[in-house]
């Protein structure tokens, strides 16, 4: 079974020449991936093994008419940090060279790789109907997995994610100890 090790989401228009250049740069075969999660939007992929013998699959998929996902999947043992970071550099560079807008990278390594949802326009209040804290945790260490982070995620990534949670209406109903821990975490910047 294939599991995602790295996913880069981006947005923008690609000409046929740009798409061909991307496929050639990443040495992708114009055939969709047919195994593992999220195969519906797949348009090209390449299977290979890393230096430890782990089977990897690099993929390009469409998420919408102008949305793109570049992903690295693994089968068996997760790839090394060096392998993931090497692909992070490769995929970010491809997105940048093509003039696409980076939306999010999972797992994020820097603050600019975190999706930040813009607040509603001025004058449009956020709904607070039914705001209650029904999550099964009351401390910050327990909250990181809920927002898609490991405990060892970079601090700057945690800061961005935490500020996002604190902007939501439900934050006002969070346990007081959690709110104090979050404020202390952000003060220690």
């Amino acid at each position: 079974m294939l599991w995602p090790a790295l996913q880069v989401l981006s947005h923008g228009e690609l000409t046929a020449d740009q798409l061909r250049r991307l496929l050639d740069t990443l040495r992708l075969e114009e055939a969709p991936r047919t195994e593992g999660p999220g195969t519906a939007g797949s348009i090209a992929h390449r299977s290979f093994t890393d230096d430890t013998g782990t089977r990897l699959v690099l993929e390009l998929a469409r998420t919408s008419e102008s949305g793109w996902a570049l992903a690295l999947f693994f089968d068996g043992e997760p790839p090394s940090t060096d392998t993931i970071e090497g692909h992070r550099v490769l995929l970010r560079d491809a997105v940048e060279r093509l003039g696409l807008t980076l939306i999010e990278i999972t797992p994020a390594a820097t603050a600019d790789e975190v999706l930040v949802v813009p607040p509603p326009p001025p004058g449009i209040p956020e709904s607070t109907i039914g705001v209650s804290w029904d999550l099964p945790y009351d401390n910050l260490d327990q909250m990181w997995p809920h927002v898609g982070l490991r405990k060892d995620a970079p601090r700057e990534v945690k800061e961005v994610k935490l500020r996002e949670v604190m902007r939501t209406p439900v934050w006002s109903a969070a346990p007081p100890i959690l709110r104090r821990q979050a404020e202390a975490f952000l003060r220690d910047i």
Side-chain angles (χ1 to χ4, degrees):
M1 177 70 162
L2 292 178
W3 299 101
L6 180 69
Q7 184 177 50
V8 177
L9 298 178
S10 62
H11 183 269
E13 299 295 327
L14 290 181
T15 65
D17 287 342
Q18 288 174 311
L19 182 56
R20 170 59 38 214
R21 203 168 42 241
L22 177 61
L23 296 174
D24 291 346
T25 298
L26 300 177
R27 301 185 322 234
L28 300 179
E29 177 186 335
E30 279 191 82
R33 179 175 54 85
T34 58
E35 64 178 309
T39 59
S42 181
I43 60 173
H45 79 287
R46 171 173 56 99
S47 293
F48 58 102
T49 57
D50 67 7
D51 54 356
T52 66
T54 298
R55 180 171 163 251
L56 302 173
V57 175
L58 188 60
E59 174 193 54
L60 172 65
R62 286 194 94 122
T63 59
S64 67
E65 191 171 314
S66 58
W68 303 94
L70 291 160
L72 179 67
F73 293 89
F74 68 94
D75 184 17
E77 290 297 312
S80 70
T81 301
D82 288 344
T83 297
I84 292 172
E85 293 312 309
H87 281 86
R88 180 187 309 275
V89 169
L90 175 70
L91 300 178
R92 278 193 73 145
D93 182 59
V95 165
E96 186 176 301
R97 276 192 335 240
L98 293 169
L100 298 172
T101 301
L102 178 66
I103 295 173
E104 175 180 40
I105 299 180
T106 306
T110 58
D112 70 328
E113 295 178 351
V114 177
L115 173 63
V116 177
V117 179
I124 298 182
E126 291 189 53
S127 172
T128 57
I129 296 173
V131 171
S132 68
W133 188 265
D134 59 355
L135 300 171
Y137 51 82
D138 61 2
N139 84 43
L140 204 49
D141 284 338
Q142 295 169 332
M143 190 177 83
W144 298 130
H146 179 78
V147 296
L149 298 177
R150 296 185 321 245
K151 287 183 184 179
D152 65 347
R155 182 176 178 83
E156 68 179 289
V157 171
K158 286 181 173 179
E159 291 169 12
V160 172
K161 288 283 195 176
L162 183 56
R163 289 181 197 286
E164 285 291 293
V165 171
M166 292 172 76
R167 267 193 20 221
T168 65
V170 75
W171 185 249
S172 65
I177 190 167
L178 177 59
R179 292 197 318 261
R180 285 192 300 273
Q181 286 176 354
E183 290 164 10
F185 181 86
L186 293 175
R187 268 195 312 271
D188 289 342
I189 296 175

